[in-house]
């Protein structure tokens, strides 16, 4: 779409009485490759092209989207959105000159030979199968995404961004005499295939396979309210779900979050500093601009236990006495943007993992977290633990299974007792009002003084 087309559509909306109008244009292509049974099982391509139209009148937000880019269709949609507006006016706004921004990609997806992609998938499969005869199945995938979007609005903004994302993942399945287990690993970045220059495939596959085998001897645990160590990286899913969503303006503004009206109040232990940073270069969850055309920022949400800020998108900033801080996000043009996380992590501390283990008479070490649920209005959560070990008298013991973490976001924040310095940030997806978006979550290894562990023995 050309500049004059964006201007025309925005001017029609404003002339029809809109207080604010935004046009979001997107073109994207995604490729998915999967290997199962030592065979290339799936190659899928998904192409998107369309626009989203967002209009504000007073406190009302109207949104529609279409992949029919004919001029008469777009004008018809704008007229339908604004048909009940009574105040008509003559408006003619001019957009700023187009600002383009993107991160440099060394090896784009379409420049990396398909045969080399296949070889990488096959190699992953063979490393796992050659490691042990207990390996019964290996599933491996590549996920490629190239997205280009342009945002224009009635405040004069006219900006274009490109985002390249690559994700590699595999699951190793093992079978023992009486049980089966699995272990998943992934690696993702806002890069092309140059990201594998620093990735040790053999080491990561062997470690995952070894862990899956050790889990075959895992025992059920009785549960109870005990101290817990949560490993670095994806262990932070518990903070993403239990705390992060409650700090988004989507929940804060309508006062349905446990953190509403809590600014500058103590909500966590002194050990907790929680950050959301969309500016991290080449990150899976970050970008140079958000989906409203605002520059992303490093937002300190909780600092040494004190709630310092929320995640505020552009339109929600009109309803709260805080500035927009570059966190308006959406899955694609079919969704209206709202406040969302990007790269959310717990800042590192100075405690040692060995001291955490030694300090526990009986507890568990959560090596890998799984999915869960949270009620943002109460902060109550429940998360499954995929891989865990028992801690007894200050020492790590056997693997355990069938455990979950049950608690409340405010409680867990206050019970963070120790924080190590081994920060790792992992890739994931987050679903909410504006669709399924890419995010990263991270933390160093932490010790929580007490939390209810659900178990089975």
């Amino acid at each position: 779409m050309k500049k004059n087309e964006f201007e025309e559509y925005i001017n029609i909306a404003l002339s029809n009485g809109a207080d604010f109008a935004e046009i979001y244009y997107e073109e994207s292509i995604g490729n998915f490759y999967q290997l199962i049974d030592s065979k290339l099982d799936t190659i899928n391509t998904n192409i998107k092209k369309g626009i989203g139209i967002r209009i504000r009148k007073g406190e009302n937000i109207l949104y529609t989207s279409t992949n029919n880019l004919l001029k008469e269709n777009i004008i018809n949609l704008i007229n339908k959105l604004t048909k009940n507006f009574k105040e008509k006016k003559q408006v003619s706004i001019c957009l700023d000159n187009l600002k383009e921004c993107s991160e440099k990609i060394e090896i784009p997806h379409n420049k990396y030979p398909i045969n080399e992609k296949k070889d990488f998938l096959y190699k992953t499969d063979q490393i796992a199968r050659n490691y042990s005869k207990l390996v019964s199945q290996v599933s491996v995938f590549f996920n490629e995404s190239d997205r280009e979007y342009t945002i224009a609005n009635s405040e004069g903004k006219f900006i274009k961004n490109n985002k390249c994302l690559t994700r590699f993942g595999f699951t190793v399945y093992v079978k023992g005499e009486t049980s089966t287990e699995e272990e998943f690993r992934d690696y993702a970045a806002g890069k092309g295939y140059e990201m594998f220059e620093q990735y040790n495939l053999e080491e990561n596959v062997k470690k995952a396979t070894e862990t899956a085998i050790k889990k075959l001897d895992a025992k059920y645990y009785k549960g109870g309210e005990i101290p817990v160590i949560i490993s670095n990286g994806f262990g932070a899913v518990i903070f993403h779900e239990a705390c992060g969503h409650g700090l988004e303006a989507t929940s804060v503004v309508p006062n349905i979050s446990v953190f509403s009206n809590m600014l500058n109040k103590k909500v966590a232990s002194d050990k907790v500093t929680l950050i959301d940073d969309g500016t991290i270069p080449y990150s899976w969850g970050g970008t140079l601009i958000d989906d409203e055309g605002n520059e992303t920022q490093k937002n300190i949400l909780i600092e040494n236990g004190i709630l310092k800020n929320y995640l505020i998108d552009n339109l929600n900033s009109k309803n709260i006495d805080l500035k927009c801080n570059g966190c308006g996000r959406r899955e694609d043009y079919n969704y209206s943007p709202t406040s969302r996380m990007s790269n959310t992590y717990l800042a590192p501390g100075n405690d040692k993992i060995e001291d955490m283990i030694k300090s526990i008479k009986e507890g568990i070490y959560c090596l890998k977290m799984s999915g869960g649920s949270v009620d943002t209005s109460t902060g109550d959560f429940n998360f499954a633990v995929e891989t865990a070990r028992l801690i007894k008298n200050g020492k790590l013991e056997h693997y355990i299974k069938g455990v979950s973490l049950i608690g409340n976001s405010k409680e867990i924040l206050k019970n963070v007792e120790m924080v190590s310095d081994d920060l790792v940030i992992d890739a994931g997806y987050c679903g909410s009002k504006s669709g399924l978006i890419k995010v990263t979550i991270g933390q160093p290894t932490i010790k929580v003084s007490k939390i209810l562990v659900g178990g089975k023995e």
Side-chain angles (χ1 to χ4, degrees):
M1 285 175 55
K2 298 179 180 179
K3 179 180 177 181
N4 65 303
E5 293 178 282
F6 284 99
E7 289 174 335
E8 180 179 4
Y9 299 146
I10 290 171
N11 282 324
I12 290 171
L14 295 178
S15 297
N16 286 351
D19 297 327
F20 170 87
E22 173 194 81
I23 305 295
Y24 176 92
Y25 175 75
E26 174 188 357
E27 292 185 29
S28 68
I29 181 170
N31 293 306
F32 180 75
Y33 308 84
Q34 186 173 37
L35 182 144
I36 301 176
D37 287 330
S38 300
K39 297 181 295 185
L40 189 59
D41 180 78
T42 303
I43 301 179
N44 286 334
T45 297
N46 183 24
I47 298 173
K48 295 180 183 179
K49 185 176 182 180
I51 70 167
I53 304 165
R54 183 166 61 152
I55 290 171
R56 176 172 59 85
K57 179 66 174 178
E59 296 183 357
N60 296 316
I61 307 296
L62 304 173
Y63 191 82
T64 192
S65 63
T66 182
N67 60 4
N68 180 349
L69 299 177
L70 292 175
K71 183 175 180 179
E72 54 266 33
N73 178 61
I74 296 172
I75 292 175
N76 182 50
L77 288 173
I78 295 172
N79 286 332
K80 283 184 177 180
L81 285 179
T82 58
K83 67 179 181 179
N84 293 323
F85 296 174
K86 296 180 179 179
E87 298 176 7
K88 308 296 180 180
K89 52 191 174 183
Q90 280 297 109
V91 178
S92 180
I93 66 119
C94 294
L95 296 173
D96 297 335
N97 290 326
L98 180 65
K99 179 182 177 182
E100 296 191 47
C101 55
S102 62
E103 294 172 314
K104 183 179 179 181
I105 302 302
E106 300 292 338
I107 307 178
H109 297 137
N110 60 1
K111 298 298 182 182
Y112 194 69
I114 184 69
N115 286 336
E116 292 192 32
K117 297 176 187 179
K118 291 179 181 179
D119 289 345
F120 200 99
L121 297 176
Y122 284 119
K123 185 177 180 181
T124 304
D125 176 83
Q126 288 305 307
I127 292 171
R129 292 182 185 275
N130 291 339
Y131 186 82
S132 173
K133 293 181 180 179
L134 295 175
V135 174
S136 59
Q137 181 62 282
V138 183
S139 174
V140 197
F141 71 85
F142 277 130
N143 195 347
E144 305 170 347
S145 172
D146 291 282
R147 177 173 168 235
E148 179 181 283
Y149 55 100
T150 303
I151 302 158
N153 66 32
S154 55
E155 295 172 351
K157 188 161 291 178
F158 190 35
I159 190 165
K160 179 179 181 180
N161 190 30
N162 297 301
K163 185 66 179 179
C164 172
L165 293 163
T166 310
R167 190 183 191 199
F168 163 71
F170 62 91
T171 304
V172 179
Y173 301 85
V174 295
K175 186 175 182 179
E177 292 182 3
T178 59
S179 62
T180 59
E181 283 292 345
E182 63 186 73
E183 188 72 8
F184 171 75
R185 293 284 192 278
D186 74 328
Y187 182 57
K191 294 183 177 183
Y193 280 91
E194 69 271 18
M195 72 183 228
F196 289 104
E197 294 171 356
Q198 299 176 346
Y199 184 74
N200 190 323
L201 177 64
E202 186 163 348
E203 178 182 332
N204 281 280
V205 175
K206 287 182 176 180
K207 282 185 177 180
T209 308
E210 182 180 1
T211 299
I213 292 170
K214 288 179 178 179
K215 287 162 64 175
L216 287 171
D217 297 321
K219 302 175 183 178
Y220 286 110
Y221 182 66
K222 62 184 178 181
E225 190 173 57
I226 55 175
V228 169
I229 295 174
I230 304 176
S231 186
N232 60 355
F234 201 74
V237 66
I238 199 166
F239 290 100
H240 170 95
E241 294 289 353
C243 307
H245 282 299
L247 296 174
E248 294 169 339
T250 311
S251 300
V252 173
V253 171
N255 291 315
I256 57 174
S257 167
V258 291
F259 298 109
S260 294
N261 306 308
M262 293 291 288
L263 275 182
N264 299 314
K265 294 182 180 179
K266 192 169 182 63
V267 297
S269 77
D270 294 343
K271 296 279 186 177
V272 175
T273 293
L274 187 67
I275 298 167
D276 187 89
D277 186 0
T279 70
I280 298 175
Y282 297 102
S283 58
W284 174 259
T287 184
L288 298 174
I289 61 167
D290 70 1
D291 292 323
E292 295 181 301
N294 301 305
E295 292 185 1
T296 53
Q297 299 179 29
K298 179 178 181 179
N299 297 306
I300 299 176
L301 304 175
I302 300 174
E303 186 174 28
N304 300 325
I306 307 298
L307 181 58
K308 292 292 187 178
N309 206 352
Y310 299 117
L311 295 171
I312 313 294
D313 59 285
N314 189 41
L315 291 191
N316 268 310
S317 70
K318 314 295 183 186
N319 302 314
I320 193 170
D321 191 23
L322 290 170
K323 292 182 179 179
C324 166
N325 48 22
C327 63
R329 303 192 64 196
R330 66 179 109 196
E331 178 180 340
D332 56 33
Y333 71 89
N334 290 300
Y335 295 86
S336 177
T338 191
S339 56
R340 304 288 296 275
M341 288 172 275
S342 56
N343 303 307
T344 312
Y345 63 93
L346 198 69
N350 300 308
D351 298 307
K352 303 300 180 184
I353 298 174
E354 54 266 32
D355 293 334
M356 297 181 191
I357 297 171
K358 289 177 182 177
S359 70
I360 296 176
K361 185 176 181 180
E362 181 171 338
I364 66 170
Y365 195 141
C366 301
L367 296 167
K368 193 173 181 61
M369 298 293 294
S370 187
S373 61
V374 62
D375 183 341
T376 57
S377 64
T378 64
D380 294 331
F381 62 79
N382 188 317
F383 287 93
V385 181
E386 185 175 319
T387 308
R389 292 181 69 178
L390 178 67
I391 303 172
K392 199 83 169 177
N393 298 319
K395 294 182 179 180
L396 281 174
E397 295 202 352
H398 57 265
Y399 281 77
I400 57 176
K401 60 184 177 180
V403 295
S404 59
L405 302 184
I406 305 164
N408 181 273
S409 56
K410 285 188 174 182
E411 290 178 5
I412 193 173
L413 284 171
K414 292 177 180 178
N415 291 337
V416 175
E417 190 176 85
M418 302 175 78
V419 179
S420 73
D421 60 357
D422 61 339
L423 173 66
V424 170
I425 297 178
D426 283 334
Y429 292 88
C430 174
S432 188
K433 289 180 66 176
S434 59
L436 189 69
I437 62 171
K438 280 89 170 174
V439 296
T440 56
I441 56 176
Q443 68 172 40
T445 301
I446 66 169
K447 177 191 173 186
V448 180
S449 60
K450 61 178 180 178
I451 190 170
L452 181 60
V453 175
K456 175 183 178 182
E457 191 174 54

